[in-house]
Amino acid sequence: MELYSPEGLRIDGRRWNELRRFECKINTHPHSADGSSYVEQGNTKIICMVRGPMEPAMKSQVNATSSTVEVNVSLANFSTFERKKRSKTDKRITELKTTLERTFNECIMGHLYPRTLISVTVQVLAQDGGLLAAMTNAVTLALIDAGIAMYDYVSGVNAGLYDQTSALLDLNTLEENDMCSLTIGVIGKSEKLALVVLEDKLPLDRLESVLAIAIAGSHRIRELMDMEVRKHGNMRLAKVSV
Amino acid sequence: MADLIVPGDKLPIEDPSTVKTTIGPGVYKMPTTHNLIPCSSGVITVETKNSNQLVYIESNNKRYIPHTNDFVIGVVTGVVGESYKVQLQDFSSPVLLGFMAFPNATKKNRPNLKIGSAVYARVLQDIPEIEAELECIDPTTGKEGGFGLLDESGYIFDVELNFARELLFNPKTVFLQLLSTKCQFEIAIGINGKIWIKCGEGLKEKTSDSMETDEEDPATNIKDLRTTLAAANFLIKCQHITQDKLKAELTNAFKGI
Amino acid sequence: MSRSIEISENQRKFLLESLKHGFRLTDRPFDHVRDISLYLSPTEYGYVEVSWGKTKLACRVTATVTTPYEDRPFEGIFTINSEISTMASMRFDTSRSNEEILIARIIEKAVRRSNSLDLESLCIIAGEKVWEITVDLNYLNYDGNFIDVGCFAVMLALHHFKKPDISINGNSIVVHDINERQPVPLSILHIPICLTYSFYNLTDKESNIKGEDADEICLLDADLLEELNRDGSLVITLNKNRELIQLSKNGGLPISAQQFLELTFKSMKTIDQLTDLIKTKIKEHEELRYKTENFKLLEASADR
C-alpha cells in the first residue's frame, strides 16, 4: 500500500495539497459551558468546552495582572484503533496541555480579565492524525463562542514530507506513522507562528517547502472556521431581529 | 589576631568570670552554665582594651535572617490586608511592610508601591514566631531619612552577606573607593545581600517628550546604562578575587565605555 | 515558605532596555553559547560532568544484560531518566511541574526517539538477551537552559561509555571484565544537539500579533534571569547531517515564519561547533587513556 502513488494520489484519494474534510460547529453545549465547539478534521473528532472568566479554584492560579488559562486534555479510551487506557499524568498529554496553555495565553487579551481563570476542557473522541492541530482549532472556536476577547484566530494543521521529496498536507494516522509530521499554529491571516512542533527527522533544506504548504493549509482552515462562525452569528442575529 | 575557629573549639579568651567580656556575633552564652562557646565557623577576633575583652566571629553565609534595626532592600510581591508583602531574598519567608509605616501616611494617603518595586527599609520587629515587619521611617527623625521606594533607574543585584556588611559598615572600604575613580554613583546597600546602584542617570525611561532629541538621546542613554551594569559586574566579581587583582578587574569591567 | 524567585522591576527593565540596545546584561553576543567546561571521568566509562556557564549537570551511563521486549526481540532497551531535584534550585520541588516534564520530553525526543543510539547493535542473543542502556541525568545547578545542556551531556556520556566485551558459547554468554578484554564503544548513528532560543517582545502584544515588522529579540542560551523574563522559547534540535530532529515551540510569543526559518539555518553553525567539541574532547580523552593505561600492551597480547 503506497502512501503516495506516482500519479500523485494518496491512500484516501487526496492530492498533496488537499485538506481532509473539515467540519466544525460552535455553541454545541450551550447549557454546560460558557463556550463550546466540535471539530472534525477527517476522522479526528474533538469536543471543546470553555468556562470563564471565573474565580480561580486555587490561590496559586491568581495572577494580579492577567487571566490564567488552564487546559485539561482528555483522550478517550476508544479514541484510537485499539482501546487503550491512558492516565491523566501521561507525559505526552502534559506536553499537549502545556503547549495549548502557552499558545492561548498569548492570543487572549488577558489584561482585560485580571485575577480570573479561563478553564478549557478538550475531549478527544477519535484520533486519526493531526491531533494537536485539531485541538488548537477546537479551542479557538470555543473561545470565540465564549465571547472571550482575542486578537485573532489560531488555526492549526499538520504537514509532512514523503520519501524526502514530496510535501503532503494534513496527514492522517497511517501517514503520520510513516513520515515526519510538522504541526503548526498560525495567527489569523498572517504568517506568524504561535506553535511549531516537529517530532521526527526532516532534512533542514526541505523545511521551507513543508512550512509553506502548512501555512497555506492553516489559512484555508481559518477561512472555513470563519465561515462557520459568521453563519452561526447570522443565524442568531436573525432570531433576535424580527 | 585572625584565626580560624569551628564549633567545638575552645574560645581563645580569658575566663569571662574574671575579665569583663563583650560578645558579638558567632559566640553563644549557654543559658544554664554561662559558658561561652563558638556557634559558627569563621575568623575569630579577640580584642582587649582597658581590661575589657571583645570577642566575635566573622563568618559568611548567603541566607539572611531578619534582625531588628537591620537596613534591607526588599521587593514587593503583593498586598495582604493593610500591609505590603515584601520578599528579602529568593525562597525566604516574606515579611510585612505596613501601609502606615511611611512618613506622612494616613488612612487616605496610601503609598504608591506596585508589585516588583524595590524599597529600602528598616527591620522593625523580628519576633521568630510571626512574620517580621519592616518600616520606611527613620526612627530618630520620624521622616524619610533615605528609606522608601528605590526607583527603577537603578540596577539591583545579589551579593554574599559578609560582602554587603563590608560595604555598608566599613567607611574606608577599598571596593567603593576604587569604583569612585571610574564613575560617579549612587548606591543603597541592604544587609540582606541586595545592592541597588545607579551611575549617572541609570536607566532613563523614554517619555514622549524626548522624541525631539532622539538623535543624541540613544548615545547618552546607553552610556549610563552600560556604566551601571559595569559597576554592578565589578562589585560582583570583587567577592571572589584577591586584593592585588582589583585594579585589573576594574579596567576589565569598564572596557569599552 | 515562598518557592519562587522574585524579579524586581529594576532588573526586568534593565534587561529589556539592554536588549533593545543590542547587548545582554553579561555582555555576551546574542547568538553565542556560554563558556563550556567538560569533565570526563578518567577511571570509569560513562560518567561526565558538563557546565555551560553556571548551569551544571552530571550524566552517567550504565549497562546491564536483560531480556528484550516481546514485540521487539532484535532490539536493545534504551532509557533516559531525567529528574530535577531540589538540589538544582529550590524552584524544583518533589512534585513534577510542567516545565520539568517538558524538559524530559524534549531530551527524550531528541535522543531516544531519533534513534541516535543503534538499538539493534545492542542485541546479544535475539529474543533472549540484550543490553539495556540507562542514562541518568543529575541536574546539579540551575542557571537557565537545562534542555541544551542535558542533551549535550547525554551525547557526550554515550560517546564516553564503553560496554564490556561479550563472547557467546552456544546459549550462554560470558561477560568479560573491562580489565580482561578491552570494552566496546556504543554504536551511535548521529549526534543530535539542542539549541534553545528565547524571545522577548519589546512592544505590546497587539503590535506583535497585528504588526508587520519582526521586532522580537531572539537570544541563544538564556541564563536564569533571561529565562525568567522571556516571552517565548523555541528548541531546535539538529545534527551535523543537516537533519532536523525535532522542533518545539510550545506556544509563547508568536514569531514570523521568515524569522523562524532564518533561525533554523543560522543554528547550523553552532551545531557544527558543538558537535566538533564533543568529537575532539572524546578523541583527546581516548589518547590520554591509551597512554596512561598502556593499551599497547593489551593490544599486543590480544594479537597473539
Side-chain angles (χ1 to χ4, degrees), chain C residues 36-134:
Chain C
I36 300 183
S37 86
L38 305 174
Y39 167 76
L40 288 87
S41 167
T43 44
E44 43 187 330
Y45 290 111
Y47 179 72
V48 301
E49 282 176 20
V50 177
S51 308
W52 283 27
K54 289 204 204 127
T55 299
K56 188 175 172 133
L57 54 82
C59 182
R60 172 180 287 288
V61 181
T62 41
T64 46
V65 180
T66 180
T67 45
Y69 293 133
E70 280 174 5
D71 53 342
R72 286 168 214 252
F74 297 104
E75 288 181 1
I77 302 176
F78 177 38
T79 43
I80 304 180
N81 284 333
S82 137
E83 275 180 25
I84 310 181
S85 71
T86 317
M87 172 163 56
S89 165
M90 297 232 341
R91 296 174 79 199
F92 303 106
D93 51 17
T94 43
S95 67
R96 300 195 80 182
S97 66
N98 288 345
E99 207 181 314
E100 280 180 54
I101 295 189
L102 261 179
I103 294 174
R105 272 287 285 178
I106 293 180
I107 295 182
E108 196 183 310
K109 276 195 263 186
V111 180
R112 206 170 73 90
R113 272 185 66 152
S114 69
N115 270 330
S116 58
L117 184 63
D118 183 12
L119 293 178
E120 286 181 1
S121 69
L122 298 177
C123 182
I124 306 170
I125 300 180
E128 277 174 54
K129 297 235 184 288
V130 294
W131 280 112
E132 175 175 4
I133 306 284
T134 314

Side-chain angles (χ1 to χ4, degrees), chain C residues 160-176:
Chain C
H160 184 245
F161 180 69
K162 288 192 167 59
K163 55 190 203 298
D165 196 8
I166 283 203
S167 38
I168 305 182
N169 284 329
N171 256 347
S172 67
I173 56 172
V174 178
V175 178
H176 296 276

Side-chain angles (χ1 to χ4, degrees), chain C residues 127-240:
Chain C
E128 277 174 54
K129 297 235 184 288
V130 294
W131 280 112
E132 175 175 4
I133 306 284
T134 314
V135 177
D136 287 296
L137 276 170
N138 291 313
Y139 297 92
L140 301 174
N141 191 38
Y142 180 57
D143 192 34
N145 202 7
F146 267 159
I147 296 176
D148 297 0
V149 191
C151 180
F152 186 85
V154 171
M155 292 324 297
L156 188 65
L158 287 174
H159 274 90
H160 184 245
F161 180 69
K162 288 192 167 59
K163 55 190 203 298
D165 196 8
I166 283 203
S167 38
I168 305 182
N169 284 329
N171 256 347
S172 67
I173 56 172
V174 178
V175 178
H176 296 276
D177 187 67
I178 52 172
N179 294 316
E180 193 189 317
R181 281 228 214 149
Q182 206 170 352
V184 179
L186 295 172
S187 160
I188 299 179
L189 300 173
H190 67 98
I191 307 180
I193 307 274
C194 292
L195 290 179
T196 305
Y197 287 93
S198 308
F199 304 115
Y200 299 84
N201 183 15
L202 298 172
T203 49
D204 52 9
K205 255 195 201 176
E206 194 171 342
S207 357
N208 163 256
I209 292 192
K210 298 285 184 187
E212 286 298 318
D213 331 312
D215 246 346
E216 300 89 22
I217 306 274
C218 183
L219 298 181
L220 176 60
D221 191 19
D223 60 29
L224 182 59
L225 191 62
E226 293 167 346
E227 199 173 290
L228 290 172
N229 281 312
R230 69 181 174 198
D231 297 315
S233 71
L234 166 67
V235 184
I236 300 179
T237 310
L238 281 165
N239 63 19
K240 217 172 176 187

